[in-house]
Amino acid sequence: MRYCINCCIHLLPNDLHRQCFRCRGPDHNNQRCPVCRGENKIPLYTDSKQMKWLAVLEVRTDHCESWNGLFCLRKGKLCSLMFGLIIMTLVMVSYMLTGAKHGLLLLPSPFHYGAFASNPSLMDNESFSDMKDHYQPSKMNISYVKDYPSIKLIIDTITSKIEFITRQRPDLEELRKQEPHMFSVIPNKFLPNSKNPCWYEEYQGNTTTDPYATNSYALYSRRFRIIFDYLRKVFWNHLYHYKDKHYRLRCLPHFYIIGQPKCGTTDLYDRLRLHPDVRFSAIKEPHWWTRKRFGIIRLRDGFHDRYPVEDYLDLFDLAAHQIQSVLQSDAGQERAKRNNIIIGEASASTMWDNNAWIFFYDNSTEGEPPFLIQDFIHAFQPNAKLIIMLRDPVERLYSDYLYFASANKSAEDFHEKVAESLQLFEGCVLDYSLRACVYNNTLNNAMPVRLQVGLYVVYLLDWLTVFNKDQILVLRLEDHASNMRYTMHMVFQFLDLGPLSEKQEALITKSPASNTRRPEDRSLGPMLPTTKAILRDFYRPFNTKLAQVLFDDAFLWKRT
């Protein structure tokens, strides 16, 4: 059968369809039209035969010429349709926003991600099947292979510009000119009967004077005020009185845990402070050498008043009180037992963060800093001991991203940030030396992820220009995690600490790991295989040089 699209009744082979007033055109006459005369019923014919009255189809004559384009749908149905379309639109927008937040949208990206089986060095001799099994969440990204060659070209350009050039060490007089106040406070000799570098300093205040009233750490940080409240209460009990003068014992750290961030320094700190002969600063990470002495609390917040060296020394007063008790003790046995107390400091920025130099030091050579942190530490403490904890730089960067990123964290987002950072780093090395780029404040703040922190060998070589190799202990987090007892023994031996009882050693080595990855970050899974391969290519020449310097192929991180 045929149908009339205007009136929705069967179109008959005879001329009965003339009864449809819509099909009559401009010659339609309301007086002759049965519908217009009020006859609401139009018989339905099938095969030229009129149906019985029970089968009569009632067609209501709603005059809706204004709805011709929508096939004579009623206004109510149209409103329902429009409402449904609006609801569908809102649902789709909600899906898109939610998908973008969780990294679920299958939208094109400037850089594609995924595995690329054509690369023989995909995972440093790790087979593609092994990697695919390990990275199940990344299967949906295998179509993004084609952008890897363009990123690889960036890495090749960076690699071609790598030169490890020994820096020129500044002389002591130049350092004195830069930091005259620091040199006026810290002496060049320390107490001979103390293993830790300490000295007595005359105290000019009286009993009503608050010795910590102007300490910047107490002023700018509420959580440190409790510590300083306690120090105020016991301060006068620990002054040394000699010839009507008051002296306080001042101390610097005997050793520094200088790096790197997200490499297990917190865990090492927590275990070391359980040793009976080890004390630490009142704050785990003062960041004084790298930031606070320049007035940096957060670089993005600009500069504050510079923290004087006295504020830094105040952080060691708790340990200094215990050392002073040993030095003034009349009991020889107690002196022998506690005379070897040493102080440590564990700012993980000390090894690498020299971003502030450009704002304070002039006469830079081709964008390289004329003075580094280690120059000043060595000037005061040429015998200081340094501990460095390192980790596969590829995994360190991902852990760093998960820890510091605030929103929209995902493996895909990490990949894009890596690609952007590589482009920025390439632009720098095309015009400047490797050292100038590593210590470039503008570049380091512009990169979405901190690629430069994983260039361990660049920093280590600069520290070796002022400190002897036997003053630096370099550990791997992977070894520490697999055999903690062995690495802790290495640290104890390096610091020349006394033997421990079995109970003390068990307490130190069997404690739970500190500062592990947060559950919400673990749920994001590993980085994409392509990202991992890109970062392995980028860090490979630096790891190779590091293994050569340390005479240890474990620092190649071929299998971690």
Side-chain angles (χ1 to χ4, degrees):
M1 291 185 180
R2 298 175 298 149
Y3 297 89
C4 172
I5 64 172
N6 289 328
C7 56
C8 303
I9 66 173
H10 293 153
L11 187 61
L12 304 178
N14 54 24
D15 197 30
L16 291 175
H17 186 58
R18 289 177 299 175
Q19 295 180 37
C20 175
F21 76 94
R22 298 186 187 281
C23 303
R24 297 294 297 272
D27 298 329
H28 176 67
N29 190 315
N30 291 340
Q31 298 299 322
R32 290 181 297 175
C33 177
V35 176
C36 297
R37 290 201 307 267
E39 299 176 10
N40 293 345
K41 296 179 181 180
I42 301 174
L44 178 65
Y45 287 82
T46 305
D47 297 330
S48 302
K49 295 181 181 180
Q50 184 172 348
M51 296 177 63
K52 294 180 180 180
W53 68 273
L54 291 173
V56 173
L57 176 66
E58 189 173 292
V59 180
R60 299 191 181 277
T61 59
D62 293 333
H63 293 272
C64 47
E65 285 83 358
S66 62
W67 299 86
N68 287 343
L70 294 174
F71 310 125
C72 200
L73 289 174
R74 295 178 181 178
K75 291 183 180 179
K77 292 183 178 180
L78 181 60
C79 292
S80 298
L81 177 62
M82 296 300 295
F83 182 75
L85 290 175
I86 292 173
I87 294 298
M88 290 179 63
T89 302
L90 292 175
V91 170
M92 288 300 296
V93 170
S94 176
Y95 162 76
M96 294 174 67
L97 292 176
T98 305
K101 180 178 179 180
H102 296 287
L104 299 175
L105 291 183
L106 303 180
L107 300 176
S109 156
F111 295 95
H112 304 312
Y113 334 102
F116 40 97
S118 59
N119 186 2
S121 59
L122 188 61
M123 291 282 287
D124 289 318
N125 301 323
E126 181 175 359
S127 67
F128 178 75
S129 60
D130 293 339
M131 183 186 63
K132 183 175 66 175
D133 293 338
H134 188 63
Y135 294 99
Q136 290 297 327
S138 303
K139 288 183 178 179
M140 59 182 286
N141 299 308
I142 60 175
S143 62
Y144 296 105
V145 164
K146 59 184 180 182
D147 281 338
Y148 175 78
S150 61
I151 302 177
K152 184 65 168 63
L153 288 176
I154 294 174
I155 297 172
D156 291 342
T157 301
I158 295 173
T159 302
S160 67
K161 296 293 182 178
I162 295 176
E163 287 186 279
F164 299 103
I165 302 174
T166 304
R167 68 182 286 262
Q168 185 67 35
R169 175 178 167 181
D171 60 43
L172 186 59
E173 287 305 315
E174 291 178 298
L175 298 175
R176 289 182 182 275
K177 291 178 182 178
Q178 297 299 325
E179 300 287 352
H181 178 69
M182 196 189 310
F183 279 89
S184 68
V185 173
I186 301 176
N188 54 13
K189 291 184 179 181
F190 305 114
L191 295 176
N193 56 341
S194 174
K195 180 178 179 180
N196 197 87
C198 298
W199 68 98
Y200 279 107
E201 171 187 281
E202 184 179 354
Y203 180 67
Q204 303 290 343
N206 54 46
T207 55
T208 61
T209 304
D210 181 359
Y212 305 106
T214 60
N215 187 286
S216 300
Y217 285 99
L219 294 175
Y220 288 112
S221 181
R222 186 178 302 172
R223 63 193 179 102
F224 298 146
R225 292 173 189 170
I226 297 177
I227 298 173
F228 286 103
D229 285 342
Y230 172 78
L231 288 172
R232 289 185 184 95
K233 294 178 181 178
V234 301
F235 180 78
W236 278 93
N237 297 333
H238 294 279
L239 287 181
Y240 176 62
H241 306 281
Y242 181 72
K243 292 184 178 180
D244 298 327
K245 292 184 178 181
H246 304 294
Y247 296 87
R248 65 190 295 189
L249 188 68
R250 288 294 206 176
C251 297
L252 280 170
H254 173 72
F255 70 96
Y256 296 84
I257 302 175
I258 64 174
Q260 292 284 65
K262 310 313 298 177
C263 290
T265 56
T266 299
D267 187 76
L268 180 61
Y269 160 83
D270 284 337
R271 296 182 192 283
L272 259 179
R273 66 178 181 167
L274 296 176
H275 195 287
D277 290 339
V278 175
R279 302 293 182 270
F280 275 93
S281 54
I283 301 168
K284 179 204 174 249
E285 295 188 89
H287 297 294
W288 185 80
W289 291 102
T290 55
R291 300 169 188 171
K292 299 300 191 294
R293 70 186 178 101
F294 299 107
I296 299 173
I297 298 177
R298 295 180 183 86
L299 195 57
R300 63 177 179 270
D301 296 336
F303 291 92
H304 298 260
D305 293 335
R306 299 180 69 174
Y307 288 31
V309 65
E310 291 88 347
D311 290 1
Y312 179 60
L313 296 175
D314 286 346
L315 301 180
F316 306 105
D317 276 2
L318 281 173
H321 293 167
Q322 297 184 45
I323 293 175
Q324 183 180 2
S325 297
V326 173
L327 295 176
Q328 296 179 355
S329 173
D330 293 329
Q333 185 177 0
E334 184 179 356
R335 183 183 304 113
K337 180 181 178 181
R338 300 185 61 192
N339 195 36
N340 289 325
I341 290 177
I342 58 174
I343 304 174
E345 200 254 68
S347 299
S349 64
T350 307
M351 180 178 181
W352 64 276
D353 190 352
N354 281 274
N355 286 331
W357 73 267
I358 196 170
F359 301 105
F360 295 91
Y361 301 142
D362 299 326
N363 303 321
S364 62
T365 304
E366 297 179 353
E368 296 185 11
F371 311 105
L372 297 177
I373 303 304
Q374 51 266 39
D375 297 330
F376 293 98
I377 294 179
H378 183 269
F380 300 114
Q381 298 176 259
N383 299 318
K385 293 196 172 184
L386 312 167
I387 301 175
I388 302 172
M389 181 81 86
L390 301 180
R391 175 187 188 179
D392 180 354
V394 176
E395 297 296 337
R396 192 220 69 82
L397 186 65
Y398 190 51
S399 178
D400 197 68
Y401 162 80
L402 293 177
Y403 186 80
F404 288 105
S406 57
N408 299 324
K409 289 186 285 190
S410 67
E412 290 79 8
D413 180 68
F414 175 66
H415 180 96
E416 294 189 4
K417 285 179 167 55
V418 167
E420 182 182 348
S421 299
L422 285 169
Q423 293 181 69
L424 291 170
F425 197 79
E426 177 200 27
C428 184
V429 296
L430 288 173
D431 297 323
Y432 298 96
S433 68
L434 176 61
R435 182 178 291 106
C437 293
V438 167
Y439 295 124
N440 187 304
N441 172 69
T442 303
L443 172 65
N444 293 341
N445 288 328
M447 288 194 295
V449 290
R450 302 192 295 182
L451 284 174
Q452 80 282 7
V453 178
L455 307 181
Y456 307 139
V457 69
V458 178
Y459 305 110
L460 179 60
L461 289 173
D462 284 347
W463 281 84
L464 287 172
T465 60
V466 291
F467 286 97
N468 295 327
K469 199 170 184 178
D470 59 3
Q471 293 178 258
I472 303 177
L473 175 64
V474 184
L475 304 170
R476 295 195 329 145
L477 175 61
E478 293 83 1
D479 300 329
H480 180 66
S482 63
N483 193 345
M484 192 173 299
R485 186 172 181 270
Y486 174 74
T487 57
M488 293 308 299
H489 276 216
M490 289 181 63
V491 174
F492 297 156
Q493 184 178 1
F494 175 71
L495 296 177
D496 194 23
L497 294 171
L500 296 172
S501 66
E502 290 186 10
K503 185 177 181 180
Q504 290 173 324
E505 185 173 309
L507 178 64
I508 293 174
T509 58
K510 294 183 180 180
S511 300
S514 301
N515 201 21
T516 57
R517 186 170 294 180
R518 296 170 294 204
E520 60 269 25
D521 292 338
R522 287 198 297 268
S523 65
L524 295 175
M527 72 183 81
L528 300 173
T530 304
T531 316
K532 191 167 190 176
I534 288 170
L535 289 172
R536 289 214 177 279
D537 289 341
F538 171 69
Y539 285 118
R540 183 175 292 111
F542 299 99
N543 293 343
T544 300
K545 181 66 174 179
L546 179 64
Q548 293 173 357
V549 172
L550 298 176
F551 300 102
D552 190 346
D553 286 345
F555 289 93
L556 294 172
W557 282 287
K558 285 188 175 181
R559 303 285 295 187
T560 56

